[in-house]
Amino acid sequence: MDSMDDKGITIDLSVQGMSCTACAARIEKTVGKMPGVEAVAVSYSARTAWVQYKPDQIQPLKIMEQIGKIGFKAALPEHAKEGFEKERSLLKLRLIISLILTAPLLTAMVQHLAPFAKIEMPSLLTNPWLQLGLATIIQFIIGLPFYIGAYHAVRSRATNMDVLVATGTSAAYLYSHYLVFNADRAALFAHEVPLYFETSAVVITAVLLGKFIEASVTSRAQSDASGYSKLLNTVVRVERAGVMMDIQTEFVRENDYVIVQAGQVIPVDGIIASGESEINESLLTGESVPLAKRPGDPVWAGTRNDSGALRIRTTAAGHSTMLSRIVDLVRQAQRSKSMIQRQVDTVSAWFVPAMLMLSLGTFVLWITVADPGNWTMAFRCAVAVVLAACPCALGLATPISLVVASSRLAKRGIVVKEAGALERLAQLDMLVLDKTGTLTEGKPRVSQVHTTFGSRQGLLRLAAAVEASSTHPLAIAVRAEAMQAGLVPPAATDFEYTTGKGVEAVVEQRKIGVGNASFAATKHWTFASASIRSFAEERQQLGETVLYTSDNNKVIGAISFIDAVKPYAKAAVTQLRKAGVTVIVATGDHPAPALNAAQIAGINPTQVHANMLPEDKLALVERLKEQDYKVGMAGDGWNDAPALAAADVGMAMGDGTDAALTAGHITLLQPRMTAIPEALLISRLTVRNVRQNLTFAFIYNALIIPFAACGLLQPWMAGTAMAFSSVSVVGNAIRLNARLRKAAVQPS
């Protein structure tokens, strides 16, 4: 899928043939050097490549050809699942054949074990020529992809798991091949000459088994991660010029009318033109309670129409919908790399060459120091070192866990835009909350109107005119109150906005202003009556927000607003405190309503900062970071944008709007407070799982390789252990999925 970016065009490709994360790094390095390619990111776990390129310098076909030249196959994303399943099916076929051909060779392996050395085996199964034939088929037919992968890696001056497998198994096979043709015939058929055909065969079979299990669980993880794609309708019913027709979703135009029957998934973003229904948005936002929708209400692609038929005026369709943008953001997070992953990639880059050198060193030490002249023992230990080395366990430790976590978060309406944000979130110990729309519902309503000049309706009429084009929640509340009173605001001109304070405009040839106390002081407004100040103080003591209204720089009245604290806000704050996170409120509102909201939510009054402009919030975040706190910022994604960007983790509290997706590092599609501690818990479980994987991978290599070098492991044992170390890491990452299902913070 192509998409335009200010730096060029981006395309997602599926990639087949990767054997480990070193292959992904090689593709990144090769494609990144191509003229016209601006950026590239390859995910081994997702089997995808994301490329940003200049269309006037290079085309996707050229990029795909270059990937093919280094031993992989690139395809467009619509063929990704088909290609991955084809690759997995071929892997399964190779595994089955390898198991069948390896079974007879296991008899020779049994004879190498002391407890079974005296057991008589059928002479046919232990015949060296049969072993040679079976091992040759496994080595050069079943194992051919390992050689191809190793060839392309070495040709690119790189190494990967294929190099280790091809080197180790070839050494075992060729050594045994040499003995078959050069050893004493009597000793050979009397089984007095140790052959290692079973070693190469068992290792290849074990590696194939490990890769098949890995591919299967990865496929399951990818299926979970791409669950949003199941919500994308391909065919919709559209009404054009009174005629009903079924067309592809991508051909739906803005302002088309789409008909959605009860029980169907809504295919477009739009506004309900007619009909009423309950809309289930759980698959998109994580909110389980269906919402009643009426004409004029917005709806989103991917949500389900539970009851009545709807006629929807389209505002976005196809790749422009919020659902498609969420899918893109989830993919972006899965292909990005955390700091841990970057460090692991650095280690993996030199791991294989180091293991090959260690194997050579092991051979030299055995033949010269440990057991001089014993070529068989030296060879066996050197091969065991190569077969024991496992860069895949290291490479898989992080990405699969992040794929599982990002998909689980997305299903809860929490969209993570980069893997690093998840890692930083786990370290959070300070959270700055905006009040309106974050701690409170963000949907204030007018509580009282006080005026000393004219009527209540007259004041509302003027205030609504000044607030006619503002998107601030208080402005929306003023307009709603005026509409409910049946008032028609006059036209206003010459608007002058001061962010976070107020607005002035010319209405009926008078300069009318609406703003808070700070705005009134800045504009040097005078008060027509002391009763206005008394009204403001009284309402603020009750925890309400107050805006003053002026006429030609004279305050003629005030409007107070109630904004309820969100349900379960206190439960969320309690959960955050238990997790070791200090919660701070930073708001542009007056201290009294800010303190009232904080008290209801259980936040310490000393942690409340009122009368703050956007730049003040930014300064607060930067000051906390200078004090070595890991700072999170949660805001509405508009006025809080500078602070969201500056925080270690910026969390934009969405309300089902597309704009929320553009702010912060994490977007909470449903602005529920419990989503914050829930995301924190999931991030900590994920980082813990990654660390468990890395710990196992390092311990495995730290223990197994010395055992192999010291001659305490047979080569086939080392190879089998290597294969299953990757499986265990993948299995632990998949186990994370079960834990994350239980990670929702339950309100109390």
Side-chain angles (χ1 to χ4, degrees):
M1 175 173 57
D2 289 352
S3 62
M4 181 62 74
D5 189 273
D6 57 354
K7 294 182 180 179
I9 290 179
T10 63
I11 186 171
D12 287 305
L13 300 171
S14 68
V15 181
Q16 300 173 36
M18 291 190 288
S19 62
C20 63
T21 51
C23 296
R26 182 149 54 94
I27 296 172
E28 286 184 353
K29 183 178 179 180
T30 302
V31 175
K33 291 181 178 179
M34 298 179 71
V37 173
E38 299 293 310
V40 58
V42 180
S43 170
Y44 169 64
S45 58
R47 305 300 198 275
T48 59
W50 172 87
V51 185
Q52 186 178 69
Y53 64 96
K54 295 290 186 182
D56 57 337
Q57 298 181 36
I58 194 169
Q59 291 298 313
L61 184 60
K62 191 72 175 177
I63 297 171
M64 294 164 67
E65 288 176 353
Q66 185 64 27
I67 293 175
K69 288 179 181 178
I70 59 175
F72 307 100
K73 182 179 180 182
L76 295 176
E78 53 263 32
H79 306 302
K81 186 168 182 62
E82 177 186 346
F84 185 78
E85 287 304 317
K86 182 179 179 181
E87 186 177 358
R88 195 169 74 94
S89 297
L90 182 59
L91 189 61
K92 183 178 180 180
L93 178 62
R94 289 169 60 203
L95 172 61
I96 292 173
I97 296 174
S98 187
L99 280 169
I100 293 172
L101 298 179
T102 300
L105 296 175
L106 294 179
T107 56
M109 184 180 73
V110 168
Q111 286 191 325
H112 288 177
L113 302 177
F116 307 101
K118 295 182 179 180
I119 297 178
E120 289 292 333
M121 295 293 175
S123 58
L124 177 63
L125 296 180
T126 57
N127 186 292
W129 296 108
L130 174 65
Q131 293 184 30
L132 173 62
L134 295 176
T136 300
I137 296 172
I138 296 171
Q139 188 70 37
F140 297 111
I141 298 180
I142 304 300
L144 180 61
F146 294 120
Y147 285 99
I148 295 174
Y151 164 75
H152 285 292
V154 173
R155 185 183 178 191
S156 302
R157 297 181 181 178
T159 53
N160 60 5
M161 193 187 80
D162 290 335
V163 173
L164 289 176
V165 174
T167 301
T169 59
S170 294
Y173 172 85
L174 293 175
Y175 178 72
S176 301
H177 183 279
Y178 171 80
L179 291 177
V180 168
F181 285 95
N182 293 279
D184 179 83
R185 289 288 179 271
L188 182 66
F189 283 88
H191 311 302
E192 296 174 358
V193 178
L195 299 179
Y196 292 98
F197 286 125
E198 81 283 353
T199 294
S200 59
V202 168
V203 168
I204 288 175
T205 303
V207 171
L208 290 176
L209 177 60
K211 289 177 72 65
F212 178 72
I213 295 174
E214 174 199 322
S216 298
V217 294
T218 300
S219 176
R220 191 186 317 153
Q222 284 299 314
S223 178
D224 290 343
S226 60
Y228 275 122
S229 61
K230 300 173 184 177
L231 307 179
L232 296 169
N233 283 5
T234 56
V235 179
V236 297
R237 170 148 289 196
V238 175
E239 176 189 328
R240 288 180 179 170
V243 178
M244 296 292 183
M245 60 184 73
D246 292 332
I247 63 175
Q248 296 290 322
T249 307
E250 55 263 33
F251 298 130
V252 177
R253 301 190 297 262
E254 188 174 347
N255 293 320
D256 272 345
Y257 285 91
V258 173
I259 309 301
V260 181
Q261 300 296 332
Q264 292 182 337
V265 173
I266 296 174
V268 297
D269 292 352
I271 306 296
I272 296 178
S274 61
E276 296 184 2
S277 182
E278 287 191 332
I279 305 299
N280 188 331
E281 299 183 345
S282 61
L283 295 176
L284 186 65
T285 66
E287 179 58 50
S288 59
V289 179
L291 301 176
K293 298 277 186 173
R294 298 176 176 80
D297 289 340
V299 291
W300 317 104
T303 59
R304 190 177 67 245
N305 178 19
D306 278 352
S307 48
L310 296 175
R311 184 169 175 263
I312 300 169
R313 180 175 62 81
T314 302
T315 57
H319 298 310
S320 300
T321 64
M322 186 175 72
L323 175 62
S324 290
R325 291 200 58 197
I326 292 171
V327 171
D328 289 341
L329 288 172
V330 172
R331 287 175 178 165
Q332 174 183 310
Q334 292 177 354
R335 69 173 175 251
S336 65
K337 293 182 180 180
S338 66
M339 183 59 68
I340 293 177
Q341 182 61 38
R342 294 183 189 279
Q343 293 170 348
V344 169
D345 285 350
T346 301
V347 173
S348 298
W350 55 260
F351 183 86
V352 174
M355 290 303 101
L356 292 174
M357 293 300 296
L358 179 60
S359 174
L360 179 60
T362 299
F363 181 84
V364 171
L365 285 174
W366 270 98
I367 201 68
T368 59
V369 179
D371 194 356
N374 190 342
W375 291 83
T376 301
M377 188 64 180
F379 165 80
R380 195 185 77 181
C381 294
V383 170
V385 168
V386 173
L387 296 177
C390 184
C392 283
L394 286 173
L396 289 168
T398 302
I400 291 188
S401 295
L402 293 178
V403 166
V404 170
S406 61
S407 62
R408 177 54 51 185
L409 284 165
K411 289 177 181 179
R412 297 293 301 160
I414 304 167
V415 180
V416 180
K417 301 180 184 179
E418 52 166 305
L422 201 62
E423 188 179 332
R424 296 193 300 274
L425 179 60
Q427 303 170 358
L428 206 69
D429 55 13
M430 183 71 69
L431 177 65
V432 180
L433 292 177
D434 177 42
K435 182 179 79 72
T436 305
T438 302
L439 186 61
T440 64
E441 292 285 3
K443 298 177 181 178
R445 59 180 178 84
V446 173
S447 172
Q448 297 287 333
V449 178
H450 177 80
T451 179
T452 58
F453 182 80
S455 65
R456 176 182 186 275
Q457 286 80 2
L459 185 72
L460 271 176
R461 178 174 172 271
L462 293 175
V466 175
E467 299 283 21
S469 58
S470 175
T471 58
H472 193 282
L474 296 181
I476 295 172
V478 169
R479 296 199 299 269
E481 187 71 13
M483 183 182 296
Q484 188 173 354
L487 303 175
V488 179
T493 60
D494 300 330
F495 292 93
E496 296 180 8
Y497 293 95
T498 301
T499 304
K501 291 186 176 182
V503 58
E504 288 184 321
V506 176
V507 181
E508 296 177 340
Q509 300 182 348
R510 296 143 63 190
K511 190 174 185 179
I512 306 298
V514 177
N516 57 24
S518 176
F519 189 67
T522 301
K523 295 296 183 178
H524 304 292
W525 290 348
T526 59
F527 283 75
S529 170
S531 65
I532 298 176
R533 290 186 185 274
S534 300
F535 168 82
E537 291 174 359
E538 176 186 342
R539 304 317 299 182
Q540 286 171 348
Q541 287 175 0
L542 294 174
E544 297 180 9
T545 300
V546 176
L547 292 182
Y548 297 108
T549 303
S550 71
D551 184 348
N552 289 329
N553 294 324
K554 179 178 288 187
V555 178
I556 59 173
I559 305 172
S560 68
F561 303 83
I562 294 176
D563 188 9
V565 173
K566 286 182 178 178
Y568 311 122
K570 187 171 184 178
V573 170
T574 300
Q575 291 285 345
L576 287 167
R577 190 179 295 115
K578 288 180 179 178
V581 178
T582 301
V583 181
I584 294 176
V585 175
T587 178
D589 207 347
H590 190 275
L595 287 167
N596 181 69
Q599 182 181 12
I600 294 173
I603 299 172
N604 192 324
T606 61
Q607 302 292 359
V608 176
H609 301 260
N611 293 324
M612 300 195 82
L613 298 174
E615 53 265 35
D616 297 325
K617 295 180 182 179
L618 172 60
L620 174 62
V621 168
E622 291 178 337
R623 188 165 63 251
L624 291 170
K625 289 175 67 176
E626 288 173 359
Q627 297 171 11
D628 292 329
Y629 288 108
K630 297 298 181 183
V631 183
M633 171 71 195
D636 59 16
W638 288 95
N639 294 335
D640 300 312
L644 287 169
D648 292 301
V649 182
M651 288 173 275
M653 303 291 288
D655 56 358
T657 64
D658 179 74
L661 293 176
T662 64
H665 309 105
I666 296 175
T667 297
L668 310 179
L669 297 178
Q670 188 68 26
R672 50 190 174 88
M673 275 288 291
T674 51
I676 299 176
E678 186 175 331
L680 178 67
L681 175 59
I682 289 176
S683 70
R684 290 183 175 178
L685 287 174
T686 302
V687 171
R688 183 187 306 168
N689 186 266
V690 167
R691 287 174 177 161
Q692 288 171 351
N693 290 343
L694 288 172
T695 299
F696 172 80
F698 278 113
I699 289 176
Y700 163 81
N701 284 288
L703 292 179
I704 295 295
I705 292 174
F707 270 82
C710 293
L712 301 176
L713 283 181
Q714 292 286 344
W716 69 268
M717 295 179 182
T720 304
M722 179 268 286
F724 283 96
S725 65
S726 296
V727 174
S728 63
V729 165
V730 173
N732 190 46
I734 298 303
R735 185 180 64 88
L736 172 67
N737 200 27
R739 296 200 65 187
L740 295 187
R741 288 195 186 99
K742 304 175 183 179
V745 175
Q746 299 300 324
S748 58

